[in-house]
Amino acid sequence: MSIIRTDAQADALEILKLIIQTADFYRAMGEQLSAENIQHSLFAIADERETFIESFQHVIKELGDLPSTPDADREWIEEIGGKLTQLFADNPKRAIENKCLEKDELLVNLVNTTTLGEHSADIKQQFDALNQHLISSKVRLAGD
């Protein structure tokens, strides 16, 4: 393992972190909405998102790097921001869903701009599955 990461390693690591961050954020916001007895699909989306963690950890290892986790303090601050958004919103459910979709945009943009899928058919297949999940998540949140 080199001290300097390649673009592919950096992209893979950032994608893994964003998968974990967004899954954690969906779960935290789902707990927030559940506390107010608001029906939502955030837990289901978080569960689905978490299924990608192991496969992207494997991609990072294939590329010669070691997986890492997101900054827990940053995640905590983002969750507080989500709670504040909900607190001051006229429609708390819509505000939380929009916040989740904003977080997903970072992941969507990286998945759509990285060249990681060119490394192998297996990695391409994983990206396609993640992209489909992101599209499905957006549709479900827009329809709630």
Side-chain angles (χ1 to χ4, degrees):
M1 184 178 89
S2 172
I3 293 175
I4 300 174
R5 287 192 172 102
T6 65
D7 288 342
Q9 290 170 327
D11 284 354
L13 193 57
E14 187 63 21
I15 288 169
L16 174 63
K17 286 181 180 181
L18 286 170
I19 289 170
I20 295 169
Q21 285 174 349
T22 56
D24 291 347
F25 189 77
Y26 272 71
R27 190 163 311 287
M29 294 302 99
E31 289 170 3
Q32 192 67 26
L33 291 177
S34 293
E36 294 187 23
N37 294 319
I38 297 174
Q39 296 295 320
H40 59 82
S41 58
L42 298 179
F43 290 129
I45 294 171
D47 289 343
E48 292 167 13
R49 184 78 44 96
E50 288 172 341
T51 64
F52 291 96
I53 294 172
E54 189 175 323
S55 63
F56 277 89
Q57 287 174 333
H58 182 67
V59 168
I60 291 168
K61 289 176 185 175
E62 272 184 45
L63 295 171
D65 204 355
L66 296 174
S68 64
T69 57
D71 180 0
D73 291 336
R74 181 178 176 192
E75 282 189 315
W76 181 72
I77 290 170
E78 288 174 352
E79 288 173 19
I80 289 173
K83 291 175 184 179
L84 288 172
T85 297
Q86 178 206 9
L87 182 65
F88 294 112
D90 292 333
N91 182 343
K93 181 182 178 195
R94 178 56 39 207
I96 292 293
E97 290 170 344
N98 287 339
K99 198 78 164 160
C100 289
L101 289 171
E102 285 175 23
K103 299 260 179 246
D104 276 0
E105 274 306 305
L106 296 171
L107 183 54
V108 168
N109 290 337
L110 187 53
V111 166
N112 289 329
T113 58
T114 188
T115 58
L116 264 172
E118 298 170 5
H119 282 270
S120 74
D122 183 48
I123 293 174
K124 172 89 170 104
Q125 185 178 19
Q126 291 175 42
F127 271 98
D128 290 344
L130 178 58
N131 202 26
Q132 281 304 113
H133 164 72
L134 291 166
I135 292 168
S136 167
S137 298
K138 185 174 184 174
V139 168
R140 285 168 40 192
L141 288 179
D144 274 356

